[in-house]
Amino acid sequence: MQNIAEFRIIGRVGKIEIKDKVAFLDIAANYSRKVGEEWEDDPHWNRVTLIGKNAERVDRIGKGDLLHIAGRVRQSSYQREDGERVFHVDLIVERFATLLRSENAREEG
């Protein structure tokens, strides 16, 4: 059996950043939490990485669009000159679908 580390996010696009053949999306997923007697939205931001064909598809999405994203988790580390070990987690998108287009995104472009 193959060992895997996967993620799944359903959330809205915040920021889109494209660098060469790689794209980065900031995605907000909302959770509810109780504050006193009321329930409030508690957005959690995730930065995901798109490469290859997925990066090429980024031009089809806009800020505010609701996406379903799935992919793999890649963890890496390096050692700084001062000896401190730094860990980093990448969320690599393997597939995504637009569930709902934002009205704001249509007006902008």
Side-chain angles (χ1 to χ4, degrees), residues 46-82:
N46 297 278
R47 186 169 177 88
V48 298
T49 304
L50 297 94
I51 55 177
K53 298 279 184 190
N54 284 327
E56 294 172 11
R57 294 178 49 210
V58 167
D59 62 345
R60 299 180 194 160
I61 62 174
K63 186 175 181 179
D65 286 357
L66 182 65
L67 302 183
H68 178 228
I69 299 172
R72 60 188 166 90
V73 178
R74 180 177 65 189
Q75 189 173 36
S76 59
S77 67
Y78 64 91
Q79 193 164 351
R80 291 185 177 164
E81 289 181 15
D82 64 3

Side-chain angles (χ1 to χ4, degrees), residues 7-72:
F7 74 92
R8 181 177 59 139
I9 300 171
I10 297 175
R12 295 212 178 258
V13 176
K15 181 180 174 185
I16 301 170
E17 184 179 345
I18 301 171
K19 294 184 178 181
D20 295 324
K21 297 180 181 182
V22 178
F24 301 96
L25 299 178
D26 290 344
I27 305 291
N30 282 328
Y31 295 87
S32 295
R33 66 182 174 110
K34 196 167 186 178
V35 178
E37 295 297 317
E38 300 293 322
W39 286 93
E40 294 182 0
D41 283 341
D42 184 18
H44 291 242
W45 287 94
N46 297 278
R47 186 169 177 88
V48 298
T49 304
L50 297 94
I51 55 177
K53 298 279 184 190
N54 284 327
E56 294 172 11
R57 294 178 49 210
V58 167
D59 62 345
R60 299 180 194 160
I61 62 174
K63 186 175 181 179
D65 286 357
L66 182 65
L67 302 183
H68 178 228
I69 299 172
R72 60 188 166 90

